[in-house]
Amino acid sequence: MHCAFIQLLRVREGAIAVLTSSTSTQYSFEQQGADTSTYTYYIVDGLKTGAADKNEDGWISVDELHEYATKAVQEATLAMKPEIYTIKEGYKINLAKAPIDDPKLIYRREVDYWVRDGEIINMGRIPLTKRQKELALKPDEASAIEAEVLKPYQDYKENLQEYQKAFIEETQGKLPVTALPAAMRYILKATVLHNSGKRCSDKTRADLKRLQQALGLRDEDIALIEAPIIAENPPPPPPLRNSNFKYYIGVCIIGIIGVVVSGTVVYLFRPSPQTCAKKEQYSLNDRISLGEEILLKQKDTNLDKEAGVQAFLEGNCQLAIDKFNSYRQANPRDPETLIYLNNAKARQQAEHIKIAVSVPIGTGIDLAEEILRGVAQAQDEVNSSGGINHKLLQVAIANDDQNLGTTRKIAKALVDDKEVLGVVGPASSDVTIEAGQVFNSGELVAISPVSTSVKISNFSHYIFRTVPSDKFAAEELAKYMVTTLQKRKAAVFFNFGSAYSNSLKDEFTTAVRNNGGQVLKPEDLSKFNFNAATAMQQAIMQGAQVLMLVPDSTDSKAMDKAQKVVQENQQRSRLNVLGGDAVYSQNTLETWGKQAEGMVVAIPWNIDIKPNSNFVQNSKSLWKAPVSWRTATSYDATKAIIAALKINPTRNGLQQTLRDPSFSVDGATGKIQFLPSGDRNDNPISLVKVQQISGTDKYKFVPTQP
């Protein structure tokens, strides 16, 4: 083992990036049978295969390479935490070109999508076989690519098996005392003091710890291995002689006295307002935080947030509050800081109530921030008014990256934490469906603020949403197309692998037909050989009068292709353009610009409809800028959980209250009330269009009707 690092330089205005395989206190693990560390192996692999080109623009930048290698490393050795250090935007240094249209790289990305817990799921075999034929790959080539993608998972499984084998061999016939709780260790050591051959020695435990480090396994990994083995091999009961019995009774009496005395001490020396009443910390590859680490990476040099996080971690809540307040003065739009600020205030109390929010920080930071602003605003309002039945609200932030495997692990961690009473999120429909299975079996309520797929209706008694399903957006768009535009033939552009995109595409097709119109054969934006010019030419030849864009916002390549469709339309025939809520973003206005002028989009809420509402006024004061519909529906999801917890502050009570037909609460988008399906009873839809701001070259979304 060694602590290796790679320094990458580019003489361009002094930009520097340093990639490290681990933190300063960690080992850098080696590949078995290889001359390089695990991290270096995947650095080379990402460059050689082009797989590190995450945004598929044909270039591999430093941050893309680090993200790719880190993900692969942590799938093989979870204990490693590679890091990146940059100077003057060194993370944007382009290192190498990537083959955009390489069939092997395209197939590799498709395989990566269908991997769940180290295996390719059965559902993925159909599209993989189809893609293999499209790319003209030989079976052995496809198998080799699949093996490369699955390699990190296989390495991780092998490491687990190696540790399990060693643990069984070293502890066979022995009781690993040091793996047990402290109180039990004390009693067992007292009663079997002279029977040291029957327990795991300190030297053996030290050896096992070293093996754990060599294999890159976390404490929670080995705990899952050791627990069932210990349970199946309990220690033989020690003989109870008179002297031992008296000693045991003495220990118990001393223990009882200790409990009484310690209870008195705890009462007399309760935490002061300067300290936290309770310290806790999640351990899931730095993906869940109550305030002990920064998930939304800073874009400035203000150190107050870092100081606040460190103080929170150390249990100094008052210092954390002071630092978070100071940071918010300079950065009012950062929702993570406001959540951590309220968490620190809540933790000063002996009792508080905890929920969680799951967002895709790593893959959709703008979307994550929009959702977090809604959650933070609702949390801040309830805590400022005394909390939920006099208990302040804590919010744990989880970064799911919209990765299905990561989502399942996060969902399980939240289910296992019995203090978490409810969840806001996840974001995308695919992720909500995946996490929903875990939440359903664990009987934990989740309210998604942005998942619109019709598949979520009646999906689970524990899954709700504050956003209307695609059915309602599709009906409004179809009605606008046929009635307002007087057009009857539409061409649809969608993502084949997206639950959201497929849902809105199908619902729009049905709605158009019900209104007497026609939808041409849909064009799949996710196809590797999709060509916007060719697709537009075919649509025009078939008599298309309207373009309907339904890309998945989490797929950057599909969004780029949708933009190219808009460009082609601008240059060719200027057909009317409609869009799903995924294209409603500031990025669309900035990058599509004039090409999208006049495009009509269906969204659940628009800030200009009720500009004087309490929510809008409070949000402008809190965030110093207008907010999106995603912030409004996230606020509503949090408000619904808060209102239900005031009635019954338990997991089951929350679920029963939300399903009660008499339950309702006023939110940003209107009255929030749920149907038995988990859908909202009221489903507001607003149509907005892209319009140029007078006297400028900028654009904004405005209501189609005053």
Side-chain angles (χ1 to χ4, degrees), residues 48-51 53-60 64 96-109 131 135 526-530 557 560-561 564:
K48 182 175 69 174
T49 64
D53 180 18
K54 305 299 288 184
N55 62 5
E56 302 179 33
D57 64 352
W59 282 96
I60 298 174
E64 287 180 315
K97 284 188 174 181
I100 296 178
D101 297 322
D102 178 25
K104 292 184 178 181
L105 180 55
I106 294 169
Y107 187 74
R108 184 189 183 107
R109 288 181 175 132
R131 188 55 60 95
L135 298 171
S526 64
K527 290 180 64 174
F528 79 96
N529 59 350
F530 174 85
K557 190 170 184 179
D560 291 342
K561 290 178 180 178
K564 290 179 181 177

Side-chain angles (χ1 to χ4, degrees), residues 579-623:
D581 57 69
V583 299
Y584 180 91
S585 69
Q586 188 61 33
N587 184 63
T588 297
L589 296 175
E590 293 173 356
T591 58
W592 296 18
K594 187 172 181 58
Q595 301 159 356
E597 188 172 13
M599 178 175 68
V600 173
V601 180
I603 57 175
W605 176 83
N606 180 256
I607 195 170
D608 294 325
I609 293 178
K610 292 184 178 180
N612 297 319
S613 69
N614 289 335
F615 169 76
V616 172
Q617 294 303 311
N618 291 342
S619 67
K620 287 182 178 179
S621 173
L622 199 61
W623 308 115

Side-chain angles (χ1 to χ4, degrees), residues 429 452-458 465 469-471 499 503 507:
S429 297
T452 58
S453 170
V454 293
K455 290 184 178 180
I456 295 172
S457 299
N458 291 306
R465 57 179 163 190
S469 80
D470 291 321
K471 178 178 184 295
S503 171
E507 293 300 318

Side-chain angles (χ1 to χ4, degrees), residues 11 119 153 174 206 224 335 433 443 448 605 621 624:
V11 184
E119 303 289 344
Y153 304 97
K174 305 172 186 176
L224 292 174
I433 291 170
E443 299 183 350
S448 176
W605 176 83
S621 173
K624 310 304 180 187

Side-chain angles (χ1 to χ4, degrees), residues 179 244 386 459 499 522 530 657:
N244 283 344
F459 177 74
F530 174 85
T657 302

Side-chain angles (χ1 to χ4, degrees), residues 9-30:
L9 298 172
R10 186 174 184 179
V11 184
R12 187 196 64 194
E13 300 180 358
I16 299 175
V18 179
L19 307 183
T20 69
S21 57
S22 56
T23 66
S24 59
T25 59
Q26 290 180 314
Y27 289 100
S28 176
F29 301 102
E30 296 178 352

Side-chain angles (χ1 to χ4, degrees), residues 412 415 418 435-444 460 462-463:
K412 186 178 185 306
V415 167
K418 300 306 179 184
Q437 299 176 37
V438 181
F439 291 140
N440 182 66
S441 60
E443 299 183 350
L444 178 61
S460 162
Y462 290 86
I463 305 301

